[in-house]
Amino acid sequence: MSIQLRDYQQECLNALGQAARRGVKRMLVALPTGTGKTVIFSQLPQLIKNGRRMLVVAHREELLDQAAEKISWANPGLIIGIEQAERHATPMDQVVVASIQTLSVSPKRLEALNPETFAVIVVDESHHAPASTYLKLLHRFSLGPDPDAPGKTKGERQQAFSTFAPQAAAPVLIGFTATPSRTDGIGLEAVFDEIAYSRTIDEMMR
């Protein structure tokens, strides 16, 4: 099914592609609520080559189902699995939509995701990304240091991400958020290398 993207949605996809070609591994997209962030990342499976997969991670069940539905609508025939509670994804799934709580509570389910098979990791509502649950996920995919390393404070472990060099074979991390600043003072630069694309509410209204 061909989806007619809005100009800014196509601009965002182009910006992500340009950042990836420059070697950026951990990029952030900041767009206001209601601008179709899910529509944007539903287009990403079409850009993945060599049979690799996409992982979408969110923290609320309704976001998981919304993402799976939108990705399926944009990519008829794509095999999509959900990893959450009693729902289990399989190695045959081309896209895995996973609950961060499930992966955190059950390390075996996180270990079952083979990093070598994934090209892209999407984190929805990625202002939550500095949380330890997400840092463990990113470490699993060679996108960050071990957050459980002894002898460091929580803040030091989070800041260690900013100096960590992801492996060349690691998947690309793309975070989508409407609120790129956190109330606890921990900046998303602790996890993401750069903002690949952003628009303010005023810009979107105009």
Side-chain angles (χ1 to χ4, degrees), residues 61-130:
E61 183 174 358
E62 61 266 30
L63 292 177
L64 302 178
D65 293 327
Q66 175 185 320
E69 180 181 354
K70 189 70 69 175
I71 294 168
S72 178
W73 178 63
N75 305 272
L78 200 69
I79 305 173
I80 302 170
I82 296 181
E83 189 73 24
Q84 184 256 343
E86 72 282 358
R87 298 186 285 183
H88 294 264
T90 76
M92 299 299 295
D93 296 321
Q94 295 159 293
V95 174
V96 176
V97 182
S99 160
I100 189 63
Q101 287 91 345
T102 293
L103 297 181
S104 175
V105 170
S106 179
K108 288 184 177 179
R109 294 173 76 163
L110 175 59
E111 290 295 319
L113 299 176
N114 182 359
E116 294 181 359
T117 67
F118 289 90
V120 177
I121 298 176
V122 170
V123 175
D124 198 6
E125 295 200 349
S126 57
H127 47 283
H128 295 290

Side-chain angles (χ1 to χ4, degrees), residues 4 6 17 23 25 34 36 41 43 47 49 56 61 63 67 82 84 89 91 99 109 131 143 153 162 176 188 191:
Q4 186 64 43
R6 296 182 181 275
K25 282 290 189 180
F41 67 72
Q43 304 299 302
L47 307 177
K49 300 177 181 179
V56 178
E61 183 174 358
L63 292 177
I82 296 181
Q84 184 256 343
S99 160
R109 294 173 76 163
L143 288 164
T153 66
S162 63
F176 287 81
L188 293 185
V191 174

Side-chain angles (χ1 to χ4, degrees), residues 157-180:
R157 290 194 297 270
Q158 290 168 331
Q159 289 301 321
F161 268 73
S162 63
T163 57
F164 181 88
Q167 296 181 8
V172 171
L173 170 66
I174 307 174
F176 287 81
T177 184
T179 54

Side-chain angles (χ1 to χ4, degrees), residues 23-56:
V24 179
K25 282 290 189 180
R26 304 175 301 191
M27 57 191 81
L28 185 69
V29 173
L31 284 170
T33 300
T35 53
K37 293 183 286 294
T38 309
V39 171
I40 294 172
F41 67 72
S42 74
Q43 304 299 302
L44 295 175
Q46 302 169 26
L47 307 177
I48 296 174
K49 300 177 181 179
N50 302 322
R52 297 177 77 191
R53 307 193 286 165
M54 181 169 83
L55 173 64
V56 178

